[in-house]
Amino acid sequence: MLGRRKTSQTDTPATPEADQGPGKNRPTPKRREVEAARRQPLVPAARKSVGKPGSKADKQAAREQRVEARQRMVAGDERYLTARDRGPVRRFARDFVDARWNLGEVLLPVMFLFLILSFVGSGLIKNQQIFGGLLVSTYLLVALSAVDAFWMQRRIKKAVQAKFGDGAIVSGLGWYAVMRSFQIRRTRVPRPMVKRGDFPV
């Protein structure tokens, strides 16, 4: 029995392949090769031309949309107007302002001209009485423009209440009309939709 146990329990010799690990008997890769294998592009090549958020096509489309929205807003399209300009009441106020001659329209050019004369023209105008007269005329125009704007905004509020009823929102409408009346006609946004003297009814 002892002999049989010795014979059955004899160990099989270990093969060399069992002792070898997965990386043995192979040349060790260089560090540069390992780093190059790990390197991958941050943006796949398939996304560079199609569907990229910052692509030239997307930027061009966004630019065209902004230009179109600006043009429609200037033209008075209600969908593209700012919250300040929306609504039939504000449209009525704009048409009322654009239909009349406003002293405030000439105030900005006159003040700009006087500013230039105060820096350059004071040496050219030898007569101080003439220069003083220009100064007084400018201040007089400012005062008359303020009075004209005051009466205009009162008329607009009355006209709005007569057209839309006493429940019409006129809060801030007077200041809105005054600010528009002091702008040069061709620079107003939205652009004027009525001619001079064509008052809304």
Side-chain angles (χ1 to χ4, degrees):
M1 295 178 64
L2 294 175
R4 289 181 181 177
R5 292 182 61 185
K6 289 180 180 179
T7 304
S8 61
Q9 292 180 357
T10 54
D11 298 330
T12 59
T15 60
E17 289 79 7
D19 296 333
Q20 292 179 356
K24 290 186 177 180
N25 294 334
R26 294 182 182 179
T28 303
K30 296 182 179 180
R31 183 174 182 181
R32 284 181 292 178
E33 297 176 355
V34 176
E35 292 178 353
R38 291 180 179 176
R39 263 194 220 108
Q40 294 181 354
L42 296 177
V43 180
R47 292 178 52 196
K48 288 185 178 180
S49 58
V50 180
K52 186 177 179 182
S55 63
K56 292 183 179 180
D58 293 340
K59 290 181 179 179
Q60 181 65 22
R63 188 180 298 110
E64 292 177 356
Q65 289 179 357
R66 289 195 297 268
V67 172
E68 182 182 3
R70 171 70 180 178
Q71 292 175 349
R72 290 181 178 271
M73 181 184 68
V74 172
D77 193 333
E78 191 75 16
R79 296 170 298 176
Y80 294 88
L81 294 179
T82 61
R84 182 194 64 172
D85 299 319
R86 290 177 188 164
V89 174
R90 294 301 172 104
R91 171 66 183 271
F92 182 88
R94 290 197 302 270
D95 291 345
F96 195 99
V97 173
D98 298 335
R100 70 191 301 268
W101 291 91
N102 305 283
L103 285 177
E105 297 179 41
V106 298
L107 180 61
L108 184 61
V110 168
M111 293 188 68
F112 182 73
L113 179 62
F114 179 78
L115 185 63
I116 294 177
L117 290 176
S118 63
F119 284 103
V120 180
S122 58
L124 301 177
I125 302 175
K126 302 300 182 180
N127 193 337
Q128 294 297 323
Q129 293 181 351
I130 297 177
F131 191 80
L134 292 175
L135 178 62
V136 172
S137 300
T138 302
Y139 281 111
L140 181 61
L141 180 61
V142 172
L144 291 176
S145 299
V147 173
D148 179 64
F150 174 77
W151 287 110
M152 179 203 62
Q153 60 94 15
R154 289 186 56 134
R155 288 180 58 194
I156 288 179
K157 288 183 178 180
K158 290 181 179 180
V160 166
Q161 291 177 348
K163 181 178 179 62
F164 299 98
D166 294 336
I169 300 176
V170 295
S171 176
L173 187 65
W175 182 249
Y176 176 77
V178 169
M179 292 301 296
R180 187 173 179 87
S181 68
F182 276 85
Q183 296 174 358
I184 301 174
R185 183 180 174 86
R186 66 180 60 185
T187 63
R188 295 171 185 171
V189 177
R191 69 163 63 101
M193 305 297 293
V194 297
K195 297 179 180 180
R196 302 276 192 181
D198 190 9
F199 287 91
V201 293

